[in-house]
Amino acid sequence: MAVSFDEVEVGTELPAGSFPVTRATLVQYAGASGDFNPIHWNERFALEVGLPDVIAHGMFTMAEAIRVVTDWTGDPASVVEYGCRFTKPVVVPNDGVGAVIEVTGKVAALLEDRRVRVDLVATSAGQKVLGMSRAVVQLA
């Protein structure tokens, strides 16, 4: 069921999302994206370049975050614009559990043409991993 512009207001909270990330997830994403940078799969290399461990791809993190919006609208094509800043990496330990990206969203502005701006907050291990994460969404 499509979300109607008439049924939302500034402050409307989207259902939160919790997205697990394992080393296997990162290998799958690397294969799909073609981004085989060793910081995303090789622990020794990641440590040598000063990272705390293997980290998730920034674009993967960004994609997981926008799922809160597309799950809410039910339509990936509803996202008209989307952008963010990468503030902290998602560290993915090789412990069989991995990491979790927690995402919340809130309608921050009502725009013209039945569009809204949604502000997202994405965290992992208690740290904000995306800054200025905002999407413009076309509603029914």
Side-chain angles (χ1 to χ4, degrees):
M1 182 172 142
V3 177
S4 171
F5 180 84
D6 301 323
E7 296 174 1
V8 300
E9 56 190 36
V10 171
T12 298
E13 293 186 15
L14 283 61
S18 181
F19 307 102
V21 187
T22 64
R23 295 281 179 95
T25 308
L26 299 182
V27 171
Q28 291 167 338
Y29 182 81
S33 69
D35 181 352
F36 293 101
N37 186 324
I39 64 173
H40 303 304
W41 57 270
N42 184 316
E43 186 174 331
R44 182 184 52 76
F45 185 86
L47 294 171
E48 285 176 359
V49 298
L51 294 168
D53 206 331
V54 164
I55 63 170
H57 304 72
M59 296 303 287
F60 172 82
T61 303
M62 192 177 174
E64 291 294 77
I66 197 66
R67 287 177 57 190
V68 166
V69 174
T70 59
D71 288 351
W72 177 59
T73 64
D75 179 10
S78 65
V79 178
V80 178
E81 295 176 28
Y82 177 42
C84 71
R85 293 186 180 166
F86 302 109
T87 56
K88 298 273 186 190
V90 175
V91 178
V92 183
N94 191 21
D95 60 3
V97 177
V100 177
I101 301 168
E102 303 284 351
V103 184
T104 59
K106 186 183 295 188
V107 173
L110 303 178
L111 307 173
E112 296 179 357
D113 299 325
R114 303 183 71 80
R115 293 179 176 185
V116 297
R117 189 187 89 216
V118 174
D119 289 355
L120 299 168
V121 175
T123 61
S124 183
Q127 293 194 321
K128 193 171 178 181
V129 295
L130 298 177
M132 300 290 292
S133 185
R134 296 178 172 172
V136 173
V137 182
Q138 181 70 57
L139 298 180

